[in-house]
Amino acid sequence: MTTDDDAALLEELRAVWTTYDPPPPGLTQTMIAAVAAADLDAEWEMLVLVRDSAHEPLAQVRGLATARMLWFTAAEGWSMEAEVDGDQVRGQVLDLDGDMGTVEVTVETADGRSWTTGVDEVGFFAITAEPTGSVRFTVRIGPTSSSSRWVEL
Amino acid sequence: MGTMVTMSEDRRAEGQSDQSPWDMASGAFIAWRAGDASAVDELVAAMTPVLWHVVRAYGHDRQSAEDVIQATWLGFVRLHQTIEDPQAVASWLITSARRGAAAHARTARRAAPVEDETLHAVLPDAESAEAIAQRDDEAARLWGAVASVDERCRKLLRVVAFMDRPDYQSLSQELDMPVGSIGPTRARCLAKVRSALMGGGAR
């Protein structure tokens, strides 16, 4: 038997299973609702960009033209400042209760590269990276993580 | 069929029934990632029926199958950022569902050992088979033929039939078969279905 015949038979079998053991009537709707609910939870945890130096011309006048400052807040109440200056990404995680030893900050570029570091006891971090194009920050605190949206540099 | 659909306009304009669920899935996923929030519904609608067949191939009852599928979608929401190739979203989902189904089967077996024969009886749905048999004789013959082959074959065929690009490497682990034997086994299982069809008396 040729592989074409096999493919044709498999296709017929697919039709047979579709006919004889179809998914329960509401299954797709149930899953759409589950994804919508989970997705909302995920957004709730996101790091929200609240201030961006690119939108503040005054900062450039003051000589910060090469550095980009970004301020994020997380729903849990803590926040993060990040400064992107050439290949240096520095910042601080603020107002976070708990063990700084479990906190990790990741900078990710849209082409799939990422750099991760821990923070010191007051939340400072410094990463040497190649942040170009769009970047995204993820802060991992123990088992939970919060990611920002992509920020165009 | 083979045309690349990346723009959401194209995706909607195209008669969706012409597209395979896998193509619809990657089109919707790409649109969703690009910011079209409603596209995730289309992705779920395209892939949930496929996941159903994949998970049912593992012999789960309908409620367990639903649980495994829901866990697959929740995992997708959590991990979709790790999917590097958007074209591969269907494969990613199917693989995840297969792993969930296999893991569920292991824990279920630990909890309550199930005899092979019980599993055997679970799979072919004899009642609906007969109901539909009267309407569609050809499909009924094929269904009968599938029901007559061994469980291992039926599982392999059903999973492969609903896979986009069969990934023999991971299949071999879950089905506990050497990688090299999946292709030949698939061919042998199809041959069994054919000979059951020829034999007429499928059962």
Side-chain angles (χ1 to χ4, degrees), chain A residues 1 5-6 9-10 12-14 16-24 27-28 30-32 34-35 38-39 42 136 147, chain B residues 22 41 44-45 48 52-53 56 62 66 70 73-74 81 128-129 132 139-140 142-143 146 157-158 161-162 186 190 194:
Chain A
M1 284 291 161
D5 288 339
D6 280 358
L9 182 53
L10 267 179
E12 282 180 65
L13 288 175
R14 192 153 72 215
V16 164
W17 272 304
T18 305
T19 307
Y20 282 80
D21 184 25
L27 185 69
T28 293
T30 306
M31 295 307 149
I32 286 176
V35 166
D39 198 27
R136 175 167 66 185
S147 294
Chain B
W22 310 294
D41 294 359
V44 176
T48 294
W52 169 262
H53 292 285
R56 286 280 282 168
R62 298 170 77 86
E66 195 166 331
Q70 176 147 347
W73 283 117
L74 295 183
Q81 288 160 346
S128 69
I132 302 169
L142 200 48
W143 178 251
V146 173
L157 290 179
R158 191 168 184 180
F162 285 92
R186 187 190 93 148
L190 286 170
R194 274 196 195 93

Side-chain angles (χ1 to χ4, degrees), chain B residues 95-194:
Chain B
T95 303
S96 164
R98 287 197 345 258
R99 295 203 173 124
H104 195 89
R106 280 193 301 274
T107 50
R109 229 160 262 153
R110 265 204 302 278
V114 177
E115 294 294 319
D116 265 6
E117 296 207 338
T118 321
L119 282 177
H120 209 273
V122 167
L123 264 165
D125 195 338
E127 258 184 26
S128 69
E130 260 139 42
I132 302 169
Q134 291 161 346
R135 272 191 277 144
D136 192 341
D137 196 41
E138 182 56 33
R141 269 169 28 88
L142 200 48
W143 178 251
V146 173
S148 75
V149 304
D150 56 286
E151 188 193 331
R152 198 173 153 96
C153 268
R154 207 162 45 229
K155 183 182 195 175
L156 176 71
L157 290 179
R158 191 168 184 180
V159 173
V160 170
F162 285 92
M163 277 173 89
D164 183 7
R165 287 169 269 176
D167 164 12
Y168 288 177
Q169 188 74 43
S170 66
L171 258 186
S172 77
Q173 289 166 6
E174 287 155 38
L175 299 181
D176 206 17
M177 293 180 191
V179 177
S181 80
I182 290 188
T185 306
R186 187 190 93 148
R188 214 162 35 241
C189 290
L190 286 170
K192 281 186 193 171
V193 172
R194 274 196 195 93

Side-chain angles (χ1 to χ4, degrees), chain B residues 11-81:
Chain B
R11 182 162 46 81
R12 294 201 174 100
E14 204 119 319
Q16 294 201 336
S17 53
D18 291 352
Q19 274 183 282
S20 77
W22 310 294
D23 288 340
M24 279 169 58
S26 45
F29 185 52
I30 289 167
W32 184 52
R33 276 197 164 171
D36 177 356
S38 68
V40 73
D41 294 359
E42 288 170 47
L43 172 62
V44 176
M47 287 304 294
T48 294
V50 173
L51 299 182
W52 169 262
H53 292 285
V54 169
V55 172
R56 286 280 282 168
Y58 285 75
H60 292 304
D61 63 39
R62 298 170 77 86
Q63 184 55 52
S64 305
E66 195 166 331
D67 292 346
V68 170
I69 294 167
Q70 176 147 347
T72 303
W73 283 117
L74 295 183
F76 166 78
V77 170
R78 210 168 54 245
L79 297 171
H80 70 87
Q81 288 160 346

Side-chain angles (χ1 to χ4, degrees), chain A residues 75-130:
Chain A
E76 292 86 350
W78 51 271
S79 59
M80 182 178 80
E81 293 177 11
E83 178 187 335
V84 182
D85 190 0
D87 63 355
Q88 290 298 309
V89 181
R90 284 179 292 259
Q92 189 177 14
V93 177
L94 298 158
D95 304 318
L96 180 64
D97 297 329
D99 182 7
M100 288 294 182
T102 68
V103 178
E104 277 185 346
V105 177
T106 298
V107 179
E108 197 183 341
T109 51
D111 58 13
R113 291 175 305 160
S114 69
W115 298 266
T116 298
T117 187
V119 302
D120 72 10
E121 64 278 9
V122 289
F124 277 115
F125 64 90
I127 308 174
T128 303
E130 291 168 54

